[in-house]
Amino acid sequence: MKQVHELRRAGRERRERLQAETLGGVNVGISARVVIAAVSLLACTGCTLPTSKYPLVDPAVAKPMPELHGAYRSTDAPDNIVHYAHVGPAGDGFPEGFLRIVSVGQPKDAKTELTHFLCVAFVERVGRHHVLHIPLPKTLNLNESAPWPQKWDPEQVGGYHLVRLTKRDDGGIEMAGLNESFLAKQIDAKQLAGRVTQEEIRRGEVVEADKRTVTITADSEDLRQFFTRHIDGELFNKAHWRFSRVD
């Protein structure tokens, strides 16, 4: 039994490393692992986070959303961390609609590590929601704490993580990550252009992890049509983060 437990633990650790190191085929480097895992939310066990090759809107013309600017604290999250975040304009060197997000995750116990991250993002409205776009760089300097910390370079974009953002009447927000299983089914059924790859990670005869990678390749117009049809359905995970304003 002890050997079985050790193999299971090794499998879990291997899956965590796979999720952290490979995101839709984009090499994001060590320091960006926390950025993507924290902001993009809801990484599923045994798979990598879905990515989109194209955004819903050209980043250069994304509209500013100043009502999002401010400080937030998570009030409900499917993890063991209380998240604090500050959202503001990205500043010089970025298109007008870009946001800069700084966050610290305070663990609820001594076993969970403190997390912190910095990233840039922009939003696009779809129905009653907004979709937060987190650009992923093709490469990242391991000494940098976030993609493009000083200047935007569209030629270096390797893809995007897309997160549904819903504003609440009390000024707070709710965020949910893409549903990897739903996207894989839609791509397999030819309802959405994309790629789904599956790989077994083995140690001898033991399967440590099943790694599935989902990449959306639909262009911006087709992507918007698909999101418009499914944004209130299964496109995003039911589990989500709730944040209340604290400023």
Side-chain angles (χ1 to χ4, degrees):
M1 286 297 293
K2 182 179 179 181
Q3 186 178 16
V4 172
H5 288 308
E6 290 178 350
L7 286 172
R8 288 177 177 173
R9 179 170 57 81
R12 287 196 301 270
E13 293 174 352
R14 176 65 174 171
R15 287 194 295 271
E16 290 171 359
R17 289 196 299 272
L18 288 170
Q19 292 168 11
E21 294 171 2
T22 306
L23 300 174
V26 180
N27 179 15
V28 294
I30 295 173
S31 59
R33 296 172 189 170
V34 174
V35 175
I36 304 307
V39 184
S40 301
L41 308 178
L42 306 170
C44 53
T45 302
C47 67
T48 54
L49 299 173
T51 61
S52 178
K53 183 177 180 179
Y54 300 104
L56 288 163
V57 62
D58 183 346
V61 298
K63 295 180 179 179
M65 198 172 176
E67 61 267 36
L68 280 182
H69 297 176
Y72 298 85
R73 179 184 186 277
S74 66
T75 55
D76 184 19
D79 59 14
N80 196 39
I81 298 173
V82 178
H83 300 273
Y84 297 88
H86 182 270
V87 181
D92 294 340
F94 294 87
E96 184 182 6
F98 270 57
L99 303 166
R100 189 180 297 274
I101 302 173
V102 182
S103 178
V104 174
Q106 178 64 50
K108 296 179 182 179
D109 59 46
K111 297 180 181 180
T112 306
E113 293 184 1
L114 180 75
T115 64
H116 64 279
F117 62 85
L118 163 69
C119 75
V120 295
F122 58 93
V123 296
E124 174 67 1
R125 189 178 184 92
V126 179
R128 67 185 183 92
H129 306 280
H130 288 80
V131 177
L132 184 74
H133 292 63
I134 302 168
L136 304 177
K138 294 177 181 177
T139 58
L140 179 67
N141 186 319
L142 299 186
N143 294 319
E144 295 175 355
S145 61
W148 308 288
Q150 301 300 330
K151 185 179 180 181
W152 172 244
D153 184 357
E155 295 300 320
Q156 296 304 314
V157 178
Y160 299 86
H161 279 322
L162 305 177
V163 179
R164 188 180 68 191
L165 186 153
T166 306
K167 294 189 298 180
R168 299 203 311 260
D169 292 339
D170 62 2
I173 57 175
E174 296 182 0
M175 302 174 71
L178 284 169
N179 183 339
E180 178 263 350
S181 295
F182 174 75
L183 286 172
K185 291 177 182 177
Q186 293 294 304
I187 291 171
D188 287 343
K190 308 299 182 184
Q191 298 300 307
L192 177 69
R195 298 188 302 271
V196 179
T197 60
Q198 194 88 24
E199 179 184 357
E200 282 190 349
I201 308 300
R202 291 178 171 271
R203 178 189 291 179
E205 297 299 318
V206 178
V207 177
E208 290 189 344
D210 290 318
K211 186 181 73 171
R212 178 164 60 181
T213 301
V214 176
T215 305
I216 303 169
T217 59
D219 62 27
S220 296
E221 182 178 350
D222 288 345
L223 189 66
R224 176 178 289 278
Q225 292 178 5
F226 185 84
F227 269 54
T228 300
R229 290 196 303 270
H230 298 287
I231 196 164
D232 283 309
E234 298 180 72
L235 178 57
F236 289 90
N237 291 308
K238 292 181 180 180
H240 55 266
W241 269 250
R242 291 188 179 94
F243 289 84
S244 293
R245 295 192 74 106
V246 294
D247 54 352

